[in-house]
């Protein structure tokens, strides 16, 4: 048994070594890579550890494995069960389980916490080989480095080829990277609310968020982890989340849901807040409690680096490498990753079809509209069964 280091101080259930046949579903495990991981930007990262969870059983011929890749502040806990040793319901609970689209009687579902993250995988808050936290010394990571680490995990699990790789937003970037860099290992592909490269607008929103964190005096160049309780760049991380959360939702949703209504008895003319301000404060505080600012910066920079065509002759040439049966879905109200970006992917990937998720919830629609995502998963997996 080994305890997962938690940058925020919130206890996580212990990780417990590599997966073994008969492990209960949703148990947090970890994989440690023996050799240092060579990095795209140069140098290497030693002591790489990926936390992950699994559901279902790996078939004897290992043909039923599905890889689920989370978004920026997600984690490996895709689905429950809740209970002792489990962190409660997952962020895609409606998708994974007996009788659900990723039916655990049929599929073996694997979800790693991304490299650079803070939910058990190696990130800036983790100890470096010298025993001190990585902090500012944590190297620059790209999506390709993160997928390379995930490929080592797949090797360790004996999974040569995923029946399906699925991800939304940042998870979609990594899913795409899997399909382009390792087409022989990616049987089917579901890309949600993602793009071929970080766009100018996405880089611009990220810039404001990176400034919010790094301009917080408690950031200390990234070396705040041992400054003591409550002394991290919480204000900056909260501000970054407020900015980001607005880009994740839609203007009509905010209008219809909150309008100009004051929060409870608060009076906005006398220092009080409107409901929508209270809502943003809530999401800021919630993220600060569960997420590390250093990881937020590392992962945001990794997303900024996303450009599937880099070093591959451009986007068109890179996308043409994909052999997976592919669905690419956009959300009609997504202002951060507008549907034209998914249409571009669908046009460039040889065996891809484009789908629209209808939702008032903007970019977060891929997390909220679980039934529509489930229908897409079913469409892809039923296609697999039919040899389509
Ligand atoms: C369990 C976890 O920690 S999640 C970990 C993994 N997370 C992820 O993978 C993705 C990150 N999560 C997210 O981005 C978001 O949580 C989402 C997208 C899933 C949430 O989407 P939705 O279900 O639409 O939630 P919504 O945006 O409406 O927010 C609901 C919250 O706002 C709160 N809220 C609503 N109105 C107000 C208001 N006026 N003032 C204060 N709080 C408010 C609700 O009480 C609720 O609080 P809770 O989440 O603590 O229960
Ligand atoms: N709300 C999601 C969306 C990011 O794409 C998250 O925080 O991970």
């Amino acid at each position: 048994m080994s305890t997962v280091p938690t940058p925020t101080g919130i206890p996580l259930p212990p990780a417990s070594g590599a997966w073994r046949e008969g492990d209960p579903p949703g148990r947090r495990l970890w994989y440690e890579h023996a050799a240092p991981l060579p990095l795209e930007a140069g140098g290497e990262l030693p002591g790489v550890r990926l936390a992950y969870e699994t559901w279902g059983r790996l078939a004897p011929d290992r043909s039923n494995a599905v890889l689920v890749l989370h978004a920026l502040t997600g984690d490996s806990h895709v689905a429950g069960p809740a209970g002792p040793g489990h962190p409660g319901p997952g962020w895609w609970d409606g998708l994974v389980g007996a009788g659900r689209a990723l039916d655990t009687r049929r599929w073996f579902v694997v979800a790693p916490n991304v490299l650079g993250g803070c939910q058990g995988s190696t990130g800036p808050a983790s100890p470096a080989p010298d025993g001190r936290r990585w902090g500012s010394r944590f190297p620059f990571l790209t999506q390709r480095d993160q997928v390379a680490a995930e490929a080592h995990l797949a090797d360790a699990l004996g999974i040569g080829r995923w029946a399906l790789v699925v991800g939304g937003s940042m998870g979609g970037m990594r899913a795409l990277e899997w399909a382009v860099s390792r087409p022989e290992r990616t049987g089917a592909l579901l890309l949600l609310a993602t793009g071929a490269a970080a766009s100018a607008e996405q880089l611009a929103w990220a810039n404001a968020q990176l400034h919010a964190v790094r301009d917080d005096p408690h950031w200390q160049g990234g070396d705040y982890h041992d400054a003591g309780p409550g002394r991290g760049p919480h204000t900056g991380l909260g501000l970054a989340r407020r900015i980001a959360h607005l880009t994740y939702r839609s203007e009509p949703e905010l209008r219809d849901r909150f309008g100009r209504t004051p929060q409870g008895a608060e009076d906005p003319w006398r220092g009080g807040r409107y409901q929508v301000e209270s809502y943003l404060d809530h999401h800021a505080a919630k993220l600060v409690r569960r997420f590390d600012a250093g990881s937020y910066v590392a992962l945001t920079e990794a997303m900024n680096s996303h450009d599937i065509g880099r070093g591959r002759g451009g986007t068109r040439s890179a996308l043409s490498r994909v052999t997976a049966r592919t669905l690419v879905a956009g959300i009609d109200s997504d202002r951060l990753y507008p549907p034209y970006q998914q249409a571009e992917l669908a046009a460039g990937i040889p065996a891809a079809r484009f789908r629209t998720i209808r939702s008032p919830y903007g970019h977060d629609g891929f997390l909220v509209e679980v039934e529509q995502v489930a229908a897409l998963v079913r469409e892809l997996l039923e296609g697999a069964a039919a040899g389509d």
Side-chain angles (χ1 to χ4, degrees):
M1 280 297 218
S2 162
T3 305
V4 179
T6 60
T8 54
I10 301 167
L12 282 176
S16 53
W19 181 82
R20 278 186 224 101
E21 184 62 46
D23 267 339
R27 181 174 183 186
R28 196 183 297 258
L29 305 159
W30 48 261
Y31 160 73
E32 273 170 2
H33 191 53
L37 186 76
L39 301 176
E40 190 186 359
E44 55 187 27
L45 181 61
V48 165
R49 176 185 206 178
L50 287 191
Y52 67 99
E53 294 177 50
T54 71
W55 298 262
R57 295 165 70 93
L58 187 58
D61 65 359
R62 295 167 192 268
S63 63
N64 67 335
V66 173
L67 179 65
V68 177
L69 298 171
H70 68 74
L72 174 62
T73 73
D75 54 34
S76 62
H77 199 58
V78 177
H86 295 289
W91 50 268
W92 253 353
D93 245 349
L95 203 63
V96 179
R100 297 191 172 148
L102 288 175
D103 192 327
T104 45
R105 297 168 300 191
R106 165 81 177 81
W107 302 101
F108 178 65
V109 180
V110 180
N113 179 216
V114 70
L115 183 64
C118 55
Q119 305 289 352
S121 292
T122 303
S126 308
D130 63 6
R132 294 189 297 122
R133 314 265 209 151
W134 277 105
S136 63
R137 302 174 298 159
F138 193 73
F140 181 87
L141 292 182
T142 68
Q143 306 281 315
R144 298 183 191 186
D145 301 325
Q146 294 167 330
V147 167
E150 288 159 8
H152 288 305
L153 168 64
D155 293 343
L157 293 171
I159 297 165
R161 175 181 168 90
W162 299 102
L164 169 68
V165 179
V166 52
S169 193
M170 186 184 88
M173 295 176 187
R174 303 206 304 294
L176 179 62
E177 180 58 32
W178 262 96
V180 167
S181 63
R182 294 158 178 84
E184 73 291 353
R185 301 189 74 168
T186 313
L189 178 66
L190 177 55
L191 302 174
L192 304 163
T194 196
S199 68
E201 173 135 315
Q202 289 154 12
L203 296 173
W205 284 120
N207 171 269
Q209 295 168 48
L210 291 172
H211 267 289
V213 175
R214 289 181 169 139
D215 293 351
D216 184 322
H218 292 295
W219 170 248
Q220 297 184 51
D223 290 317
Y224 59 86
H225 291 100
D226 295 314
R231 295 192 60 88
H234 305 321
T235 302
L237 181 60
L239 181 52
R241 184 59 161 183
R242 286 179 178 86
I243 296 166
H245 196 76
L246 280 178
T247 69
Y248 299 155
R249 312 298 288 208
S250 76
E251 189 273 339
E253 182 208 359
L254 299 180
R255 179 196 63 207
D256 296 344
R257 192 170 167 184
F258 301 111
R260 295 184 42 77
T261 312
Q263 176 67 20
E266 294 185 36
D267 180 352
W269 285 26
R270 290 176 179 76
R273 298 169 302 172
Y274 291 98
Q275 258 186 20
V276 69
E277 296 180 283
S278 167
Y279 170 72
L280 283 183
D281 289 347
H282 176 79
H283 276 286
K286 201 171 167 185
L287 189 78
V288 165
R289 283 197 299 274
R290 73 176 177 86
F291 214 79
D292 174 49
S295 278
Y296 195 88
V297 166
L299 299 183
T300 300
E301 288 194 318
M303 280 199 294
N304 283 351
S305 79
H306 173 61
D307 177 359
I308 203 69
R310 181 177 60 251
R312 294 170 173 151
T315 299
R316 209 171 250 282
S317 157
L319 295 181
S320 72
R321 299 182 185 193
V322 177
T323 54
R325 282 172 301 99
T326 303
L327 285 182
V328 191
I331 300 154
D332 56 2
S333 57
D334 189 342
R335 54 184 167 185
L336 185 60
Y337 291 75
Y340 82 84
Q341 296 179 1
Q342 295 85 53
E344 181 194 11
L345 288 174
I349 295 174
R353 285 168 286 179
F354 177 75
R355 296 285 182 268
T356 299
I357 294 175
R358 303 202 184 280
S359 174
Y361 299 112
H363 183 61
D364 269 347
F366 76 94
L367 294 163
V368 180
E369 307 290 356
V370 184
E371 282 310 311
Q372 292 186 58
V373 173
L376 298 173
V377 168
R378 284 199 173 94
E379 184 180 344
L380 263 174
L381 293 179
E382 280 161 17
D388 175 8

